[in-house]
Structure formats: structure tokens, C-alpha cells
Amino acid sequence: MVQHFLIKGRVQGVGFRWFVQREAAELGLRGWVRNTDDGHVEVLARGEPDQLEDLQTGAGQRLARQPRGCSDRTSTDESEGANLKVLRD
């Protein structure tokens, strides 16, 4: 299963992409994470539903210190590559 997240709020310049990458690696997820031009962080992760839920829970706990919002879209397309990679601007 593939899940797309768009995390809004103060998530750039605080190490959030690296946090997501580390959490995803520990969960065995694949995909990517990157900053968007409008100041958000975008994540595309592939894995089992329980792994994706754990990633969203972990990210949500981190965001609880600076809440703004997280939206997601789920797909069954599993074409994304190996491991969750941090894409640079």
C-alpha cells in the first residue's frame, strides 16, 4: 500500500524530513520525503497498512508540539523505489 502525506505548519528548518526518514527506515518503509515550495513537507511511503499507521502516529506525536495539520491519501500502487529517501530542494 502507498500513502501520500502533506504535512503543514512549521515543518521546514526543524529536521522534520530527517525525523520522518529515520522513523520510516525503522519501520521498513520505502518512498521519499521532501519540502514543498509552499513551506510544507510531502511524504510518499510504501509498506503494510500497520507500518504506515505507525509512521503517521509517530509524525503526529512529533507535530503535537507544533500542531498544524496532516492530510493523507492512500493508494494500492506500490511502484515507489527502495527505502524512504530525503529529497533535497
Side-chain angles (χ1 to χ4, degrees), residues 5-77:
F5 301 93
L6 182 63
I7 301 100
K8 300 178 179 181
R10 188 169 176 256
V11 290
Q12 289 189 14
V14 295
F16 189 76
R17 285 182 300 162
W18 297 105
F19 166 79
V20 171
Q21 190 276 332
R22 186 178 66 244
E23 290 288 309
E26 289 177 9
L27 294 167
L29 294 169
R30 299 175 181 266
W32 49 259
V33 56
R34 68 180 174 193
N35 287 337
T36 65
D37 291 338
D38 54 0
H40 308 314
V41 169
E42 183 177 20
V43 179
L44 187 75
R46 177 175 60 112
E48 296 300 319
D50 58 326
Q51 293 171 304
L52 294 166
E53 185 176 329
D54 288 347
L55 178 65
Q56 187 169 7
T57 299
Q61 289 173 349
R62 169 100 183 225
L63 287 173
R65 293 180 223 136
Q66 48 200 1
R68 291 289 188 269
C70 176
S71 62
D72 67 82
R73 181 182 70 214
T74 303
S75 168
T76 56
D77 176 14

